[in-house]
Amino acid sequence: MSGAGEAESVPDLTGRWKAVAVMRRTVLTLLVVGQTLAGVYGMLSVLPYHGGDLLEQSILLLFALLFAWISVGFWTAMLGFYMRRRGGDPQSLARRHDAATLAATPLARTALVLPIYNEPVDRTLAGLRATVESLRASGQLDHFDFYILSDSRDADVWLAERAGWYALCRELGLEGRLFYRHRPVNLNFKSGNVADFLRRWGADYRYMVVLDADSVMGGDTLVRMVRHMELAPRIGILQSSPSLINARSAFARFQQFANRIYGPLFSTGLAALQLGEAAYWGHNAIIRTEPFMAHCGLRRLSGFGLFKGSIMSHDFVEAAYMGRAGYQVWMEPELHESYEESPPTLVDELTRDRRWTKGNMQHIWLLFFGRRIRFAHRMAFINGILSYLASPVWFVFLVLTSIEATRLTLWPIDYFPDPQNSMFPVWPEWHPHWAVAMILSTFFLLFFPKFLAVADVLLSGGRRQFGGFWKLLLSVFLELFVSMLLAPIRMLAHSRYVLEALFNVSLHWGGQNRTDETGWLQALISQAPGTLLAAGWAALALWLDPMFFYWSLPVALPLILAAPTSVLLSRVAIGRWLRERGLLLTPEEQRLIPLVSTVAEPAPLNPTPLSAFEVAVIDPRLNRLHRAQARHRRTVEPDTLRQWAQRCLEQGPATLNRFQLNALARDADSLAWLHRQAWRATPDGYWGRRIGQLGVAVRGA
């Protein structure tokens, strides 16, 4: 196994990438700064007092931040288009070694780790099965072991996980190669789960590949990643660029289409800028375990409020620590067959973003107080922070421009805003054509990269993969329309999440939906604050000035329609209707890819109407399995456990709460006693009827 100091002892054959990275980042900075200065100059012409007072100066500052933010995205896409048109980035890992060199490189022992937390068991294990079978087809399965690392808290979930793991071991012939560990204490979230794996088994493997519950990866891609790592000992993390698959709802289909058509352009541009100082996204990546264990442990933040305690978004921090230790972090867009899934609804996406917002806001502390972190990784922190902080900046910008319009309409005009030059009046000026020009230039920066992505698809001969030219074009316009509807909704939600994070408080505007579809009542309650705010703002704008009202509509109208938008986009029927008409198609839907199709409709692991706990009690094999895996240290008194077991026997598990069911499921004696008593129950009793439903042929253990 490679030593921790191996990166220092092996010559860096790709040192030129650092000079190239500096050059590219310098050019990007000059372009963004120049474009932003031009935008600010244009905005100065639009403002009535041309930045002559504090209000307009504040508007200019916020505008500069927002304009620079979208300018970075614009030039990143332009760089990505250039790199894809020239056949790829000559500095990328994909261009470093030819196919013969890669094929001749032996593999090292690698662990695939799958941290899960109350996930859909059927889909999660179907994805793992597909990945294992793809590795088997590659002929390199013997070099890989697999670990399911569960933090699930619900007994019905983790009992189903364990039963599914047992079935997978038998089905795939992976006894002693596929492991399941249920962690009873969920400490430090996902990063703590992976850290627990590394403490127990990390020294046994040179590499680990971290997956998410919805991840699927091809065997050839995994083999290629290991070989790249073997050929470049200075690389600590190699990140793939996952594509979205298996979208069913309309919302997920729009996200999937956007990811597949725009994603390659942006990921290629981003990789070309970051090179060996890329970010780690937390999944679908391979990691060199020894330096990761030595250098990437996450200490608790030592600040105050939000900046105290466990780090929630661990991945960017781990990449920064790997870079600080002298190792490279690469993101390679040309690593294909790397997949994940999109949240099915807008509400589910915003629920996830709430957690991500808090994690990224924590990075503010590391941005300023993290020691010896490379500049590129600090910029990655800024990128993550601004991805959410841009929303409240946009919101405040709208508030200030509304105040500006109100001031000019209702308040007396101040001809002498600057007391130092009181002899020279400042005449407020409105130039509508300049304002239109500013709006059009902003739209150009936002939307031109998307049409550039379409041009890239057409020039690559990939139009048929997206349904043909006209359906591709119609799909793009539909996606643009929906993205414009969703942008203000996300802006308002992210603004709220940033405030919650910075003040370390939790505000409740309505419940969160975790099902495939959003109900009308739940959507109306959840979106009511934004709808009322937007309606009031639009009414004020109409009262002040019809022109200002029209200017407000692109933001106000989507917020007013947020509830029906959320509901309709969550509908699976609408998503199916779009697919049947050849809209929002992706390459994976146009051709049969076994790796993807096997997880689209996973077969149920428990086809009976019984819960996982009931099956664990009744089924002799699974009962023995769960008893063998049960903890030996009891946290509940035996008499109390016996009382709960007696109630479960007489009235069923539904009469027990989650803590009680977990306690029984973790206790071998309780499981054994319940199993014996259930099989002695009368046929018309609770457990007798459950045994009949299970359809077990042999009565008794």
Side-chain angles (χ1 to χ4, degrees):
M1 183 172 293
S2 59
E6 186 177 16
E8 289 75 18
S9 63
V10 176
D12 187 358
L13 302 179
T14 59
R16 186 171 177 271
W17 70 261
K18 295 182 180 180
V20 173
V22 170
M23 182 269 294
R24 290 176 179 176
R25 295 166 191 170
T26 301
V27 172
L28 174 71
T29 301
L30 293 175
L31 289 170
V32 170
V33 170
Q35 199 170 51
T36 302
L37 289 175
V40 170
Y41 178 79
M43 192 65 179
L44 272 171
S45 303
V46 171
L47 292 173
Y49 293 105
H50 308 308
D53 57 24
L54 181 60
L55 176 61
E56 292 194 351
Q57 290 164 9
S58 300
I59 291 174
L60 280 172
L61 175 61
L62 297 180
F63 174 82
L65 288 173
L66 294 172
F67 202 83
W69 173 245
I70 62 175
S71 180
V72 170
F74 173 83
W75 289 111
T76 300
M78 294 291 287
L79 178 59
F81 180 79
Y82 170 74
M83 288 299 177
R84 287 179 61 81
R85 288 298 88 220
R86 68 175 294 182
D89 186 354
Q91 298 296 322
S92 72
L93 293 181
R95 301 292 180 270
R96 187 176 300 180
H97 307 291
D98 57 33
T101 302
L102 281 175
T105 303
L107 301 182
R109 201 169 179 214
T110 304
L112 268 69
V113 299
L114 178 62
I116 53 179
Y117 179 76
N118 288 339
E119 306 288 349
V121 181
D122 295 345
R123 164 59 186 87
T124 300
L125 296 187
L128 180 59
R129 180 194 291 109
T131 301
V132 171
E133 292 288 21
S134 184
L135 268 172
R136 193 189 302 275
S138 74
Q140 304 293 340
L141 180 63
D142 290 345
H143 297 280
F144 295 85
D145 289 342
F146 309 88
Y147 289 82
I148 303 170
L149 311 175
S150 174
D151 267 347
S152 300
R153 306 265 62 85
D154 190 327
D156 273 326
V157 175
W158 59 262
L159 287 172
E161 292 167 355
R162 187 184 286 163
W165 157 72
Y166 177 69
L168 268 187
C169 286
R170 294 167 60 89
E171 175 189 344
L172 301 176
L174 288 179
E175 292 87 348
R177 301 274 307 287
L178 171 58
F179 306 95
Y180 173 84
R181 195 251 315 119
H182 177 245
R183 193 167 64 138
V185 179
N186 182 5
L187 184 64
N188 294 335
F189 314 107
K190 178 181 175 180
S191 63
N193 200 353
V194 174
D196 185 72
F197 159 79
L198 291 171
R199 281 190 293 269
R200 295 169 183 266
W201 301 290
D204 296 335
Y205 300 95
R206 184 173 295 179
Y207 308 112
M208 69 172 177
V209 177
V210 181
L211 303 175
D212 257 1
D214 58 359
S215 295
V216 185
M217 295 192 72
D220 290 338
T221 297
L222 289 167
V223 169
R224 188 179 172 194
M225 292 172 78
V226 174
R227 285 174 170 159
H228 274 303
M229 298 290 281
E230 284 290 278
L231 289 168
R234 285 179 175 268
I235 298 179
I237 302 175
L238 174 55
Q239 173 70 60
S240 68
S241 180
S243 300
L244 296 181
I245 57 170
N246 294 336
R248 298 174 65 243
S249 68
F251 177 83
R253 290 198 61 77
F254 278 107
Q255 301 305 106
Q256 178 179 275
F257 175 77
N259 167 266
R260 290 299 282 119
I261 196 164
Y262 312 137
L265 218 63
F266 285 96
S267 61
T268 301
L270 184 63
L273 289 168
Q274 294 176 331
L275 294 180
E277 295 173 319
Y280 164 47
W281 298 345
H283 58 91
N284 292 48
I286 186 169
I287 299 172
R288 197 177 298 272
T289 55
E290 192 164 354
F292 190 85
M293 289 190 291
H295 304 292
C296 297
L298 301 181
R299 294 182 177 179
R300 295 171 65 86
L301 296 179
S302 58
F304 57 91
L306 170 68
F307 309 114
K308 184 175 183 179
S310 301
I311 296 175
M312 297 186 66
S313 290
H314 57 92
D315 35 23
F316 278 25
V317 182
E318 289 162 343
Y321 288 178
M322 186 69 82
R324 183 173 66 180
Y327 288 82
Q328 301 166 17
V329 181
W330 287 81
M331 193 267 282
E332 180 49 69
E334 294 190 40
L335 289 171
H336 305 298
E337 289 195 322
S338 176
Y339 303 107
E340 61 176 332
E341 294 182 357
S342 167
T345 70
L346 174 63
V347 179
D348 290 317
E349 180 194 75
L350 293 179
T351 302
R352 180 195 65 183
D353 285 353
R354 186 178 189 180
R355 182 178 68 253
W356 285 4
T357 301
K358 189 169 185 178
N360 279 274
M361 291 303 104
Q362 282 185 318
H363 294 167
I364 295 173
W365 183 268
L366 295 167
L367 175 66
F368 292 105
F369 301 109
R371 294 186 300 169
R372 296 186 296 109
I373 292 177
R374 292 181 178 179
F375 179 76
H377 286 125
R378 292 188 193 272
M379 295 305 295
F381 286 156
I382 292 176
N383 182 67
I385 292 165
L386 283 179
S387 62
Y388 295 100
L389 197 60
S391 290
V393 171
W394 181 19
F395 180 79
V396 175
F397 176 77
L398 294 174
V399 170
L400 294 183
T401 53
S402 299
I403 294 174
E404 176 82 336
T406 304
R407 178 179 69 171
L408 290 172
T409 303
L410 300 181
W411 300 343
I413 296 176
D414 184 4
Y415 295 98
F416 301 96
D418 187 356
Q420 302 297 325
N421 299 311
S422 58
M423 295 182 62
F424 302 96
V426 177
W427 303 94
E429 300 175 302
W430 278 113
H431 298 285
H433 57 287
W434 290 351
V436 171
M438 283 302 303
I439 293 173
L440 291 178
S441 64
T442 303
F443 280 1
F444 177 80
L445 294 182
L446 287 171
F447 297 131
F448 181 74
K450 297 194 174 188
F451 289 101
L452 207 60
V454 175
D456 180 60
V457 170
L458 298 178
L459 291 172
S460 302
R463 68 184 71 185
R464 291 185 178 180
Q465 296 181 337
F466 294 91
F469 175 76
W470 293 111
K471 289 184 177 178
L472 168 61
L473 202 60
L474 179 56
S475 297
V476 168
F477 280 111
L478 282 173
E479 192 281 329
L480 287 176
F481 174 72
V482 169
S483 67
M484 292 175 67
L485 284 178
L486 295 177
I489 303 172
R490 287 171 171 148
M491 178 267 294
L492 200 60
H494 290 172
S495 298
R496 166 202 167 190
Y497 299 157
V498 168
L499 287 176
E500 288 181 10
L502 294 178
F503 289 98
N504 207 30
V505 298
S506 179
L507 306 174
H508 298 284
W509 287 8
Q512 296 289 348
N513 171 53
R514 298 185 181 274
T515 62
D516 283 345
E517 297 189 350
T518 303
W520 279 101
L521 180 61
Q522 193 257 342
L524 289 169
I525 295 174
S526 178
Q527 301 297 338
T531 299
L532 294 174
L533 181 64
W537 182 48
L540 174 66
L542 182 61
W543 179 63
L544 290 173
D545 184 356
M547 182 62 72
F548 183 52
F549 170 72
Y550 295 133
W551 181 85
S552 72
L553 284 182
V555 175
L557 196 58
L559 288 171
I560 293 171
L561 300 176
T565 299
S566 179
V567 171
L568 294 177
L569 287 180
S570 76
R571 295 297 184 247
V572 173
I574 296 178
R576 188 183 307 117
W577 184 88
L578 290 167
R579 179 171 181 173
E580 289 171 353
R581 279 148 186 81
L583 298 174
L584 306 177
L585 292 178
T586 60
E588 288 76 18
E589 296 175 324
Q590 293 289 81
R591 64 184 188 272
L592 180 62
I593 302 178
L595 184 67
V596 175
S597 59
T598 54
V599 298
E601 296 291 340
L605 295 171
N606 177 20
T608 73
L610 277 63
S611 69
F613 183 88
E614 291 170 333
V615 174
V617 169
I618 296 172
D619 188 287
R621 289 181 306 169
L622 291 181
N623 187 264
R624 286 196 295 269
L625 169 70
H626 295 308
R627 282 155 46 195
Q629 296 284 322
R631 300 168 61 194
H632 298 290
R633 181 174 59 85
R634 285 177 171 170
T635 57
V636 180
E637 291 295 327
D639 291 343
T640 304
L641 282 173
R642 179 57 63 90
Q643 292 174 8
W644 294 344
Q646 187 67 40
R647 190 196 310 168
C648 181
L649 179 68
E650 296 172 355
Q651 304 176 34
T655 60
L656 302 177
N657 60 34
R658 189 173 74 171
F659 176 79
Q660 293 166 337
L661 279 179
N662 275 318
L664 290 178
R666 292 192 182 108
D667 185 66
D669 293 340
S670 298
L671 286 174
W673 184 84
L674 281 170
H675 178 70
R676 290 193 301 269
Q677 299 303 317
W679 279 96
R680 293 171 182 169
T682 59
D684 58 344
Y686 179 89
W687 289 101
R689 293 194 302 271
R690 293 300 184 274
I691 290 172
Q693 289 177 314
L694 184 63
V696 179
V698 180
R699 297 180 63 87

